[in-house]
Amino acid sequence: MVKKIFSGVQPSGNLHLGNYLGAIKNFVDLQNQKNTECVYCIVDLHAITIKQEPKDLKKNIIETLATFVASGIDSKKSIIFNQSSVPAHAEGSWILSCVARMGWLNRMTQFKEKAGKDKEKASVGLYAYPVLMASDILLYDATHVPVGHDQKQHLELCRDIAQRFNSDFNAADFLKVPEPLIQKNFSRIMSLKDATKKMSKSDPSDLSRINLTDDRDLIISKIKKAKTDSKPMPSIDENLEKRPEAENLLGIYSSLSNQNLERSKKEFEGKNFSEFKRKLSDLLVDKISPISDEIKKLLNDKKYLDDILLEGSKKANEIAYKKIKEMKKLIGF
Ligand code: AQP
């Protein structure tokens, strides 16, 4: 059976190490597996659920694309496009919002977190965000969706919406019910300033994250300033629950060096943090600098990047248009 993968990243700012280790690195691995077709979307319609400056949005779409390509997503193997260039996503979202129930959306924790205390001021789009995500996935008959832990609830909603549509319109198996692909290890990279919060584009402190465009000196200085506790590096059998900073930094080291946490703990057992931080900075510079150099190079060739989006949109439109047409026929339009 062919595995059909769909996933997306919001062009809402500089992509960071969390986006890379939690999503993009995995996108590249999936693309290189046999019998797998991948569709990777720059979800610009999702990004505007929170106010974006038009000129920044345009720049962020191109930078997200450059980051995809610099990290190894190959437009010859995967479809890469931006969501707003395929009208079927918004159309499907409206249809599915008439299938989804208010009660289902009211349970979504991400809306509660992102809307904060003043829900009345949140956009309707932020509330309906998971329905648009369902439309994205279902238009491509995706069988598997790589998501972070934070998106698991939205994927469950997508499964409910697909099943409800199929049953309401008497069309068994028309919308494919997708499975989540959740990375087992290091799926949540935390802030360098507060390891109880996830590393995020929208964190006001740039010191909280490693951006994929950071240069060598900036990476070294951010790791030097990363929060730690005053104890030496943990021993191999130490439980890290009460040492979130140590756990996060060791997790980043393990993920980048493709080794398990136990091995990393053994490597640094009893040493002091400054020695570990030096090694971690070296590894980060080693892995991130080639990506950031490539991003800079790609951004100087706008035509090349525009052509990738154009070609990707064409392929995506073909697939999505066909599905939405069938969907509309089932509804009675
Ligand atoms: N800290 C993280 N650790 C692991 N994975 C992460 N992802 C994001 N942050 C981390 C994963 O990256 C993919 C794309 O995310 P997104 O840009 O669409 O939205 P997000 O999850 O809301 O990312 P941010 O950085 O937190 O953006 P803002 O601040 O704009 O909301 C997803 O698969 C996500 O799980």
Side-chain angles (χ1 to χ4, degrees), residues 4-8 39 41 43 46 81 83 88-89 96 129-147 151-152 154-159 162 175-180 319-320 323:
K4 292 189 178 182
I5 309 289
F6 182 97
S7 201
V39 179
C41 184
V43 287
H46 277 107
F81 72 106
Q83 194 183 22
H89 288 250
L96 296 177
Y129 179 113
V131 183
L132 176 59
M133 179 168 155
S135 168
D136 300 339
I137 296 165
L138 299 173
L139 284 173
Y140 296 87
D141 291 337
T143 58
H144 294 83
V145 182
V147 283
Q151 293 292 335
K152 195 167 165 251
H154 289 170
L155 195 71
E156 275 155 15
L157 182 87
C158 169
R159 291 166 57 90
L175 292 178
K176 303 285 175 273
V177 181
E179 297 291 333
I319 303 170
K323 193 76 184 178

mmCIF file of all heavy atoms in Angstrom, residues 4-8 39 41 43 46 81 83 88-89 96 129-147 151-152 154-159 162 175-180 319-320 323:
data_model
loop_
_atom_site.group_PDB
_atom_site.id
_atom_site.type_symbol
_atom_site.label_atom_id
_atom_site.label_comp_id
_atom_site.label_asym_id
_atom_site.label_seq_id
_atom_site.Cartn_x
_atom_site.Cartn_y
_atom_site.Cartn_z
ATOM 1 N N LYS A 4 0.287 7.843 1.928
ATOM 2 C CA LYS A 4 0.160 9.228 1.460
ATOM 3 C C LYS A 4 0.301 10.163 2.662
ATOM 4 O O LYS A 4 -0.491 10.070 3.608
ATOM 5 C CB LYS A 4 -1.190 9.445 0.788
ATOM 6 C CG LYS A 4 -1.316 8.687 -0.519
ATOM 7 C CD LYS A 4 -2.571 9.124 -1.235
ATOM 8 C CE LYS A 4 -2.690 8.414 -2.568
ATOM 9 N NZ LYS A 4 -3.854 8.826 -3.319
ATOM 10 N N ILE A 5 1.319 10.994 2.576
ATOM 11 C CA ILE A 5 1.642 11.876 3.707
ATOM 12 C C ILE A 5 1.195 13.295 3.393
ATOM 13 O O ILE A 5 1.438 13.802 2.297
ATOM 14 C CB ILE A 5 3.179 11.913 3.930
ATOM 15 C CG1 ILE A 5 3.782 10.505 4.018
ATOM 16 C CG2 ILE A 5 3.558 12.787 5.118
ATOM 17 C CD1 ILE A 5 3.457 9.737 5.245
ATOM 18 N N PHE A 6 0.543 13.940 4.356
ATOM 19 C CA PHE A 6 0.283 15.384 4.223
ATOM 20 C C PHE A 6 0.705 16.048 5.521
ATOM 21 O O PHE A 6 0.400 15.569 6.610
ATOM 22 C CB PHE A 6 -1.215 15.665 3.987
ATOM 23 C CG PHE A 6 -1.480 17.146 3.800
ATOM 24 C CD1 PHE A 6 -1.582 17.690 2.537
ATOM 25 C CD2 PHE A 6 -1.559 18.010 4.903
ATOM 26 C CE1 PHE A 6 -1.772 19.062 2.358
ATOM 27 C CE2 PHE A 6 -1.753 19.379 4.730
ATOM 28 C CZ PHE A 6 -1.859 19.899 3.453
ATOM 29 N N SER A 7 1.432 17.162 5.402
ATOM 30 C CA SER A 7 1.693 17.959 6.605
ATOM 31 C C SER A 7 1.942 19.403 6.223
ATOM 32 O O SER A 7 2.218 19.697 5.057
ATOM 33 C CB SER A 7 2.862 17.389 7.407
ATOM 34 O OG SER A 7 2.788 17.859 8.742
ATOM 35 N N GLY A 8 1.848 20.277 7.181
ATOM 36 C CA GLY A 8 1.998 21.700 6.887
ATOM 37 C C GLY A 8 2.759 22.443 7.959
ATOM 38 O O GLY A 8 2.852 21.989 9.104
ATOM 39 N N VAL A 39 3.060 15.291 0.476
ATOM 40 C CA VAL A 39 2.597 16.637 0.126
ATOM 41 C C VAL A 39 2.916 17.526 1.335
ATOM 42 O O VAL A 39 2.441 17.262 2.446
ATOM 43 C CB VAL A 39 1.068 16.652 -0.140
ATOM 44 C CG1 VAL A 39 0.609 18.064 -0.486
ATOM 45 C CG2 VAL A 39 0.688 15.691 -1.256
ATOM 46 N N CYS A 41 2.848 21.397 2.781
ATOM 47 C CA CYS A 41 2.142 22.649 2.493
ATOM 48 C C CYS A 41 2.596 23.781 3.422
ATOM 49 O O CYS A 41 2.766 23.567 4.625
ATOM 50 C CB CYS A 41 0.640 22.367 2.692
ATOM 51 S SG CYS A 41 -0.429 23.722 2.278
ATOM 52 N N VAL A 43 1.257 26.586 5.163
ATOM 53 C CA VAL A 43 -0.159 26.860 5.446
ATOM 54 C C VAL A 43 -0.377 28.344 5.761
ATOM 55 O O VAL A 43 -0.563 28.739 6.908
ATOM 56 C CB VAL A 43 -0.737 25.902 6.520
ATOM 57 C CG1 VAL A 43 -0.916 24.507 5.930
ATOM 58 C CG2 VAL A 43 0.117 25.798 7.759
ATOM 59 N N HIS A 46 -3.712 29.330 7.408
ATOM 60 C CA HIS A 46 -3.694 29.140 8.866
ATOM 61 C C HIS A 46 -2.969 30.287 9.561
ATOM 62 O O HIS A 46 -3.354 30.697 10.649
ATOM 63 C CB HIS A 46 -2.997 27.815 9.228
ATOM 64 C CG HIS A 46 -3.894 26.644 9.129
ATOM 65 N ND1 HIS A 46 -3.804 25.714 8.128
ATOM 66 C CD2 HIS A 46 -4.928 26.242 9.901
ATOM 67 C CE1 HIS A 46 -4.737 24.802 8.297
ATOM 68 N NE2 HIS A 46 -5.429 25.093 9.359
ATOM 69 N N PHE A 81 3.845 23.351 -1.832
ATOM 70 C CA PHE A 81 3.053 24.495 -2.323
ATOM 71 C C PHE A 81 2.538 25.311 -1.162
ATOM 72 O O PHE A 81 2.648 24.895 -0.005
ATOM 73 C CB PHE A 81 1.882 23.989 -3.183
ATOM 74 C CG PHE A 81 0.792 23.328 -2.374
ATOM 75 C CD1 PHE A 81 -0.414 23.966 -2.137
ATOM 76 C CD2 PHE A 81 0.977 22.069 -1.817
ATOM 77 C CE1 PHE A 81 -1.412 23.372 -1.365
ATOM 78 C CE2 PHE A 81 -0.007 21.469 -1.047
ATOM 79 C CZ PHE A 81 -1.199 22.117 -0.837
ATOM 80 N N GLN A 83 -0.767 27.035 0.635
ATOM 81 C CA GLN A 83 -2.196 26.715 0.764
ATOM 82 C C GLN A 83 -3.118 27.693 0.023
ATOM 83 O O GLN A 83 -4.061 27.263 -0.643
ATOM 84 C CB GLN A 83 -2.486 26.770 2.266
ATOM 85 C CG GLN A 83 -3.740 26.191 2.776
ATOM 86 C CD GLN A 83 -3.811 26.440 4.290
ATOM 87 O OE1 GLN A 83 -3.168 27.332 4.819
ATOM 88 N NE2 GLN A 83 -4.597 25.633 4.973
ATOM 89 N N ALA A 88 -9.390 25.074 -3.322
ATOM 90 C CA ALA A 88 -10.189 23.973 -2.758
ATOM 91 C C ALA A 88 -10.029 23.856 -1.234
ATOM 92 O O ALA A 88 -10.941 23.371 -0.551
ATOM 93 C CB ALA A 88 -9.804 22.655 -3.430
ATOM 94 N N HIS A 89 -8.901 24.324 -0.674
ATOM 95 C CA HIS A 89 -8.713 24.206 0.785
ATOM 96 C C HIS A 89 -9.770 25.011 1.538
ATOM 97 O O HIS A 89 -10.380 24.526 2.494
ATOM 98 C CB HIS A 89 -7.313 24.690 1.198
ATOM 99 C CG HIS A 89 -6.239 23.745 0.789
ATOM 100 N ND1 HIS A 89 -5.531 22.982 1.693
ATOM 101 C CD2 HIS A 89 -5.765 23.417 -0.433
ATOM 102 C CE1 HIS A 89 -4.654 22.235 1.038
ATOM 103 N NE2 HIS A 89 -4.777 22.478 -0.258
ATOM 104 N N LEU A 96 -16.854 21.415 5.312
ATOM 105 C CA LEU A 96 -16.632 20.592 6.507
ATOM 106 C C LEU A 96 -17.071 21.308 7.784
ATOM 107 O O LEU A 96 -17.405 20.657 8.774
ATOM 108 C CB LEU A 96 -15.164 20.163 6.589
ATOM 109 C CG LEU A 96 -14.695 19.258 5.437
ATOM 110 C CD1 LEU A 96 -13.212 18.943 5.567
ATOM 111 C CD2 LEU A 96 -15.505 17.953 5.366
ATOM 112 N N TYR A 129 -9.870 26.947 12.935
ATOM 113 C CA TYR A 129 -8.575 26.457 12.436
ATOM 114 C C TYR A 129 -8.540 24.938 12.193
ATOM 115 O O TYR A 129 -8.123 24.466 11.124
ATOM 116 C CB TYR A 129 -7.527 26.890 13.471
ATOM 117 C CG TYR A 129 -6.085 26.523 13.262
ATOM 118 C CD1 TYR A 129 -5.142 27.523 13.008
ATOM 119 C CD2 TYR A 129 -5.626 25.214 13.378
ATOM 120 C CE1 TYR A 129 -3.801 27.223 12.858
ATOM 121 C CE2 TYR A 129 -4.294 24.904 13.219
ATOM 122 C CZ TYR A 129 -3.379 25.908 12.964
ATOM 123 O OH TYR A 129 -2.060 25.608 12.821
ATOM 124 N N PRO A 130 -9.002 24.111 13.161
ATOM 125 C CA PRO A 130 -8.905 22.653 12.946
ATOM 126 C C PRO A 130 -9.755 22.141 11.779
ATOM 127 O O PRO A 130 -9.465 21.084 11.233
ATOM 128 C CB PRO A 130 -9.395 22.048 14.259
ATOM 129 C CG PRO A 130 -9.480 23.159 15.229
ATOM 130 C CD PRO A 130 -9.553 24.440 14.490
ATOM 131 N N VAL A 131 -10.823 22.892 11.419
ATOM 132 C CA VAL A 131 -11.660 22.450 10.294
ATOM 133 C C VAL A 131 -10.906 22.674 8.981
ATOM 134 O O VAL A 131 -10.934 21.831 8.078
ATOM 135 C CB VAL A 131 -13.013 23.194 10.275
ATOM 136 C CG1 VAL A 131 -13.890 22.669 9.139
ATOM 137 C CG2 VAL A 131 -13.727 23.062 11.610
ATOM 138 N N LEU A 132 -10.195 23.800 8.899
ATOM 139 C CA LEU A 132 -9.364 24.047 7.709
ATOM 140 C C LEU A 132 -8.264 22.976 7.627
ATOM 141 O O LEU A 132 -7.962 22.460 6.551
ATOM 142 C CB LEU A 132 -8.748 25.453 7.784
ATOM 143 C CG LEU A 132 -7.777 25.844 6.678
ATOM 144 C CD1 LEU A 132 -8.420 25.774 5.292
ATOM 145 C CD2 LEU A 132 -7.218 27.258 6.912
ATOM 146 N N MET A 133 -7.725 22.622 8.782
ATOM 147 C CA MET A 133 -6.682 21.578 8.797
ATOM 148 C C MET A 133 -7.257 20.244 8.298
ATOM 149 O O MET A 133 -6.603 19.511 7.552
ATOM 150 C CB MET A 133 -6.130 21.448 10.224
ATOM 151 C CG MET A 133 -5.066 20.407 10.399
ATOM 152 S SD MET A 133 -4.280 20.602 12.031
ATOM 153 C CE MET A 133 -3.710 18.921 12.264
ATOM 154 N N ALA A 134 -8.508 19.963 8.673
ATOM 155 C CA ALA A 134 -9.152 18.725 8.199
ATOM 156 C C ALA A 134 -9.298 18.774 6.680
ATOM 157 O O ALA A 134 -9.034 17.795 5.974
ATOM 158 C CB ALA A 134 -10.511 18.560 8.873
ATOM 159 N N SER A 135 -9.709 19.942 6.167
ATOM 160 C CA SER A 135 -9.874 20.083 4.717
ATOM 161 C C SER A 135 -8.544 19.825 4.008
ATOM 162 O O SER A 135 -8.467 19.079 3.025
ATOM 163 C CB SER A 135 -10.409 21.490 4.416
ATOM 164 O OG SER A 135 -10.340 21.773 3.056
ATOM 165 N N ASP A 136 -7.448 20.423 4.523
ATOM 166 C CA ASP A 136 -6.104 20.231 3.939
ATOM 167 C C ASP A 136 -5.803 18.735 3.759
ATOM 168 O O ASP A 136 -5.403 18.282 2.698
ATOM 169 C CB ASP A 136 -5.007 20.769 4.874
ATOM 170 C CG ASP A 136 -5.129 22.245 5.193
ATOM 171 O OD1 ASP A 136 -5.786 22.950 4.423
ATOM 172 O OD2 ASP A 136 -4.559 22.673 6.218
ATOM 173 N N ILE A 137 -6.012 18.022 4.849
ATOM 174 C CA ILE A 137 -5.607 16.611 4.899
ATOM 175 C C ILE A 137 -6.508 15.744 4.014
ATOM 176 O O ILE A 137 -6.036 14.907 3.241
ATOM 177 C CB ILE A 137 -5.666 16.117 6.367
ATOM 178 C CG1 ILE A 137 -4.643 16.880 7.219
ATOM 179 C CG2 ILE A 137 -5.473 14.608 6.466
ATOM 180 C CD1 ILE A 137 -4.863 16.729 8.721
ATOM 181 N N LEU A 138 -7.835 15.986 4.124
ATOM 182 C CA LEU A 138 -8.795 15.091 3.478
ATOM 183 C C LEU A 138 -8.837 15.261 1.958
ATOM 184 O O LEU A 138 -9.139 14.315 1.237
ATOM 185 C CB LEU A 138 -10.184 15.286 4.098
ATOM 186 C CG LEU A 138 -10.243 14.979 5.608
ATOM 187 C CD1 LEU A 138 -11.589 15.359 6.199
ATOM 188 C CD2 LEU A 138 -9.940 13.497 5.895
ATOM 189 N N LEU A 139 -8.476 16.455 1.482
ATOM 190 C CA LEU A 139 -8.478 16.677 0.025
ATOM 191 C C LEU A 139 -7.448 15.808 -0.690
ATOM 192 O O LEU A 139 -7.557 15.556 -1.882
ATOM 193 C CB LEU A 139 -8.158 18.147 -0.282
ATOM 194 C CG LEU A 139 -9.272 19.157 -0.042
ATOM 195 C CD1 LEU A 139 -8.747 20.574 -0.228
ATOM 196 C CD2 LEU A 139 -10.442 18.916 -0.995
ATOM 197 N N TYR A 140 -6.415 15.396 0.041
ATOM 198 C CA TYR A 140 -5.324 14.637 -0.603
ATOM 199 C C TYR A 140 -5.388 13.146 -0.276
ATOM 200 O O TYR A 140 -4.414 12.424 -0.516
ATOM 201 C CB TYR A 140 -3.964 15.243 -0.192
ATOM 202 C CG TYR A 140 -3.870 16.672 -0.716
ATOM 203 C CD1 TYR A 140 -4.365 17.724 0.028
ATOM 204 C CD2 TYR A 140 -3.370 16.934 -1.982
ATOM 205 C CE1 TYR A 140 -4.359 19.029 -0.464
ATOM 206 C CE2 TYR A 140 -3.355 18.228 -2.486
ATOM 207 C CZ TYR A 140 -3.860 19.262 -1.728
ATOM 208 O OH TYR A 140 -3.850 20.537 -2.236
ATOM 209 N N ASP A 141 -6.514 12.698 0.324
ATOM 210 C CA ASP A 141 -6.648 11.291 0.733
ATOM 211 C C ASP A 141 -5.436 10.839 1.545
ATOM 212 O O ASP A 141 -4.943 9.699 1.369
ATOM 213 C CB ASP A 141 -6.790 10.373 -0.499
ATOM 214 C CG ASP A 141 -8.112 10.563 -1.221
ATOM 215 O OD1 ASP A 141 -9.071 11.043 -0.576
ATOM 216 O OD2 ASP A 141 -8.176 10.251 -2.431
ATOM 217 N N ALA A 142 -4.930 11.738 2.400
ATOM 218 C CA ALA A 142 -3.732 11.386 3.180
ATOM 219 C C ALA A 142 -4.027 10.187 4.072
ATOM 220 O O ALA A 142 -5.088 10.113 4.696
ATOM 221 C CB ALA A 142 -3.298 12.582 4.012
ATOM 222 N N THR A 143 -3.086 9.245 4.115
ATOM 223 C CA THR A 143 -3.259 8.096 5.008
ATOM 224 C C THR A 143 -2.538 8.348 6.333
ATOM 225 O O THR A 143 -2.910 7.805 7.361
ATOM 226 C CB THR A 143 -2.695 6.808 4.368
ATOM 227 O OG1 THR A 143 -1.300 7.028 4.075
ATOM 228 C CG2 THR A 143 -3.450 6.432 3.105
ATOM 229 N N HIS A 144 -1.494 9.182 6.278
ATOM 230 C CA HIS A 144 -0.693 9.444 7.482
ATOM 231 C C HIS A 144 -0.341 10.929 7.575
ATOM 232 O O HIS A 144 0.025 11.531 6.563
ATOM 233 C CB HIS A 144 0.603 8.630 7.465
ATOM 234 C CG HIS A 144 0.347 7.158 7.558
ATOM 235 N ND1 HIS A 144 0.034 6.398 6.461
ATOM 236 C CD2 HIS A 144 0.342 6.325 8.629
ATOM 237 C CE1 HIS A 144 -0.161 5.145 6.853
ATOM 238 N NE2 HIS A 144 0.020 5.076 8.158
ATOM 239 N N VAL A 145 -0.427 11.447 8.779
ATOM 240 C CA VAL A 145 -0.120 12.865 8.985
ATOM 241 C C VAL A 145 0.912 13.015 10.098
ATOM 242 O O VAL A 145 0.605 12.732 11.268
ATOM 243 C CB VAL A 145 -1.409 13.658 9.353
ATOM 244 C CG1 VAL A 145 -1.107 15.142 9.522
ATOM 245 C CG2 VAL A 145 -2.472 13.453 8.296
ATOM 246 N N PRO A 146 2.146 13.398 9.744
ATOM 247 C CA PRO A 146 3.124 13.629 10.811
ATOM 248 C C PRO A 146 2.781 14.913 11.562
ATOM 249 O O PRO A 146 2.691 15.978 10.952
ATOM 250 C CB PRO A 146 4.462 13.781 10.060
ATOM 251 C CG PRO A 146 4.133 13.949 8.631
ATOM 252 C CD PRO A 146 2.689 13.624 8.409
ATOM 253 N N VAL A 147 2.512 14.783 12.849
ATOM 254 C CA VAL A 147 2.164 15.964 13.660
ATOM 255 C C VAL A 147 2.903 15.922 14.992
ATOM 256 O O VAL A 147 3.290 14.858 15.470
ATOM 257 C CB VAL A 147 0.642 16.032 13.995
ATOM 258 C CG1 VAL A 147 -0.169 16.505 12.810
ATOM 259 C CG2 VAL A 147 0.109 14.714 14.525
ATOM 260 N N GLN A 151 -0.691 18.837 17.997
ATOM 261 C CA GLN A 151 -1.670 18.758 16.909
ATOM 262 C C GLN A 151 -2.492 17.466 16.931
ATOM 263 O O GLN A 151 -3.349 17.259 16.080
ATOM 264 C CB GLN A 151 -0.962 18.875 15.546
ATOM 265 C CG GLN A 151 -0.339 20.235 15.291
ATOM 266 C CD GLN A 151 -1.394 21.318 15.130
ATOM 267 O OE1 GLN A 151 -2.525 21.041 14.760
ATOM 268 N NE2 GLN A 151 -1.040 22.554 15.439
ATOM 269 N N LYS A 152 -2.206 16.600 17.924
ATOM 270 C CA LYS A 152 -2.857 15.289 17.952
ATOM 271 C C LYS A 152 -4.388 15.428 18.074
ATOM 272 O O LYS A 152 -5.141 14.730 17.400
ATOM 273 C CB LYS A 152 -2.299 14.490 19.130
ATOM 274 C CG LYS A 152 -2.597 13.038 19.067
ATOM 275 C CD LYS A 152 -1.785 12.240 20.046
ATOM 276 C CE LYS A 152 -2.398 10.881 20.172
ATOM 277 N NZ LYS A 152 -3.064 10.665 21.461
ATOM 278 N N HIS A 154 -6.235 17.874 17.070
ATOM 279 C CA HIS A 154 -6.808 18.353 15.807
ATOM 280 C C HIS A 154 -6.942 17.205 14.805
ATOM 281 O O HIS A 154 -7.883 17.160 14.015
ATOM 282 C CB HIS A 154 -5.930 19.456 15.191
ATOM 283 C CG HIS A 154 -5.981 20.745 15.953
ATOM 284 N ND1 HIS A 154 -5.137 21.788 15.709
ATOM 285 C CD2 HIS A 154 -6.791 21.142 16.962
ATOM 286 C CE1 HIS A 154 -5.434 22.792 16.527
ATOM 287 N NE2 HIS A 154 -6.419 22.421 17.304
ATOM 288 N N LEU A 155 -5.990 16.289 14.848
ATOM 289 C CA LEU A 155 -6.078 15.169 13.911
ATOM 290 C C LEU A 155 -7.234 14.232 14.277
ATOM 291 O O LEU A 155 -7.920 13.693 13.397
ATOM 292 C CB LEU A 155 -4.747 14.405 13.846
ATOM 293 C CG LEU A 155 -4.728 13.515 12.632
ATOM 294 C CD1 LEU A 155 -4.615 14.321 11.357
ATOM 295 C CD2 LEU A 155 -3.613 12.513 12.683
ATOM 296 N N GLU A 156 -7.468 14.085 15.591
ATOM 297 C CA GLU A 156 -8.611 13.264 16.012
ATOM 298 C C GLU A 156 -9.916 13.895 15.528
ATOM 299 O O GLU A 156 -10.831 13.205 15.068
ATOM 300 C CB GLU A 156 -8.626 13.104 17.544
ATOM 301 C CG GLU A 156 -7.726 11.960 17.976
ATOM 302 C CD GLU A 156 -7.210 12.081 19.399
ATOM 303 O OE1 GLU A 156 -7.752 12.900 20.162
ATOM 304 O OE2 GLU A 156 -6.243 11.361 19.720
ATOM 305 N N LEU A 157 -9.969 15.210 15.597
ATOM 306 C CA LEU A 157 -11.155 15.933 15.094
ATOM 307 C C LEU A 157 -11.319 15.703 13.587
ATOM 308 O O LEU A 157 -12.426 15.473 13.090
ATOM 309 C CB LEU A 157 -11.019 17.429 15.376
ATOM 310 C CG LEU A 157 -12.225 18.244 14.929
ATOM 311 C CD1 LEU A 157 -13.279 18.291 16.026
ATOM 312 C CD2 LEU A 157 -11.837 19.654 14.556
ATOM 313 N N CYS A 158 -10.200 15.728 12.872
ATOM 314 C CA CYS A 158 -10.229 15.502 11.421
ATOM 315 C C CYS A 158 -10.813 14.116 11.122
ATOM 316 O O CYS A 158 -11.630 13.955 10.207
ATOM 317 C CB CYS A 158 -8.791 15.645 10.887
ATOM 318 S SG CYS A 158 -8.601 15.100 9.204
ATOM 319 N N ARG A 159 -10.436 13.138 11.937
ATOM 320 C CA ARG A 159 -10.961 11.771 11.745
ATOM 321 C C ARG A 159 -12.486 11.755 11.988
ATOM 322 O O ARG A 159 -13.242 11.146 11.239
ATOM 323 C CB ARG A 159 -10.265 10.797 12.698
ATOM 324 C CG ARG A 159 -8.791 10.562 12.358
ATOM 325 C CD ARG A 159 -8.054 9.875 13.514
ATOM 326 N NE ARG A 159 -8.659 8.626 13.895
ATOM 327 C CZ ARG A 159 -8.364 7.439 13.385
ATOM 328 N NH1 ARG A 159 -7.422 7.350 12.474
ATOM 329 N NH2 ARG A 159 -8.979 6.353 13.776
ATOM 330 N N ALA A 162 -14.257 13.379 9.011
ATOM 331 C CA ALA A 162 -14.276 12.497 7.834
ATOM 332 C C ALA A 162 -15.369 11.434 7.991
ATOM 333 O O ALA A 162 -16.170 11.200 7.066
ATOM 334 C CB ALA A 162 -12.909 11.846 7.650
ATOM 335 N N LEU A 175 -14.107 9.977 2.212
ATOM 336 C CA LEU A 175 -13.008 10.713 2.831
ATOM 337 C C LEU A 175 -12.190 9.698 3.625
ATOM 338 O O LEU A 175 -12.739 8.943 4.435
ATOM 339 C CB LEU A 175 -13.538 11.824 3.749
ATOM 340 C CG LEU A 175 -14.254 12.989 3.046
ATOM 341 C CD1 LEU A 175 -14.768 13.998 4.071
ATOM 342 C CD2 LEU A 175 -13.358 13.681 2.022
ATOM 343 N N LYS A 176 -10.898 9.654 3.351
ATOM 344 C CA LYS A 176 -10.053 8.655 4.014
ATOM 345 C C LYS A 176 -9.751 9.110 5.442
ATOM 346 O O LYS A 176 -9.399 10.286 5.652
ATOM 347 C CB LYS A 176 -8.731 8.474 3.248
ATOM 348 C CG LYS A 176 -8.926 8.081 1.788
ATOM 349 C CD LYS A 176 -9.350 6.616 1.644
ATOM 350 C CE LYS A 176 -9.676 6.227 0.226
ATOM 351 N NZ LYS A 176 -11.050 6.469 -0.225
ATOM 352 N N VAL A 177 -9.865 8.191 6.389
ATOM 353 C CA VAL A 177 -9.619 8.546 7.790
ATOM 354 C C VAL A 177 -8.122 8.387 8.077
ATOM 355 O O VAL A 177 -7.597 7.272 8.050
ATOM 356 C CB VAL A 177 -10.473 7.634 8.718
ATOM 357 C CG1 VAL A 177 -10.236 8.002 10.176
ATOM 358 C CG2 VAL A 177 -11.955 7.770 8.358
ATOM 359 N N PRO A 178 -7.404 9.493 8.297
ATOM 360 C CA PRO A 178 -5.943 9.413 8.404
ATOM 361 C C PRO A 178 -5.437 8.996 9.781
ATOM 362 O O PRO A 178 -6.129 9.166 10.779
ATOM 363 C CB PRO A 178 -5.513 10.862 8.119
ATOM 364 C CG PRO A 178 -6.644 11.682 8.626
ATOM 365 C CD PRO A 178 -7.901 10.880 8.439
ATOM 366 N N GLU A 179 -4.230 8.462 9.787
ATOM 367 C CA GLU A 179 -3.568 8.074 11.045
ATOM 368 C C GLU A 179 -2.523 9.130 11.397
ATOM 369 O O GLU A 179 -1.835 9.626 10.508
ATOM 370 C CB GLU A 179 -2.797 6.742 10.855
ATOM 371 C CG GLU A 179 -3.643 5.542 10.526
ATOM 372 C CD GLU A 179 -4.508 5.126 11.701
ATOM 373 O OE1 GLU A 179 -4.122 5.392 12.848
ATOM 374 O OE2 GLU A 179 -5.586 4.563 11.435
ATOM 375 N N PRO A 180 -2.361 9.418 12.680
ATOM 376 C CA PRO A 180 -1.284 10.352 13.041
ATOM 377 C C PRO A 180 0.065 9.645 13.032
ATOM 378 O O PRO A 180 0.139 8.440 13.294
ATOM 379 C CB PRO A 180 -1.637 10.756 14.478
ATOM 380 C CG PRO A 180 -2.455 9.629 15.014
ATOM 381 C CD PRO A 180 -3.135 8.971 13.846
ATOM 382 N N ILE A 319 -5.033 17.579 -7.821
ATOM 383 C CA ILE A 319 -5.547 16.568 -6.876
ATOM 384 C C ILE A 319 -6.751 17.122 -6.108
ATOM 385 O O ILE A 319 -7.807 16.498 -6.020
ATOM 386 C CB ILE A 319 -4.443 16.146 -5.873
ATOM 387 C CG1 ILE A 319 -3.213 15.605 -6.611
ATOM 388 C CG2 ILE A 319 -4.978 15.132 -4.867
ATOM 389 C CD1 ILE A 319 -1.999 15.400 -5.728
ATOM 390 N N ALA A 320 -6.572 18.340 -5.576
ATOM 391 C CA ALA A 320 -7.595 18.905 -4.683
ATOM 392 C C ALA A 320 -8.881 19.249 -5.449
ATOM 393 O O ALA A 320 -9.985 19.066 -4.941
ATOM 394 C CB ALA A 320 -7.034 20.137 -3.988
ATOM 395 N N LYS A 323 -11.049 16.194 -5.959
ATOM 396 C CA LYS A 323 -11.714 15.738 -4.733
ATOM 397 C C LYS A 323 -12.885 16.659 -4.363
ATOM 398 O O LYS A 323 -13.961 16.192 -4.003
ATOM 399 C CB LYS A 323 -10.684 15.701 -3.598
ATOM 400 C CG LYS A 323 -11.135 14.959 -2.364
ATOM 401 C CD LYS A 323 -11.083 13.460 -2.552
ATOM 402 C CE LYS A 323 -11.621 12.718 -1.357
ATOM 403 N NZ LYS A 323 -11.609 11.265 -1.576
#
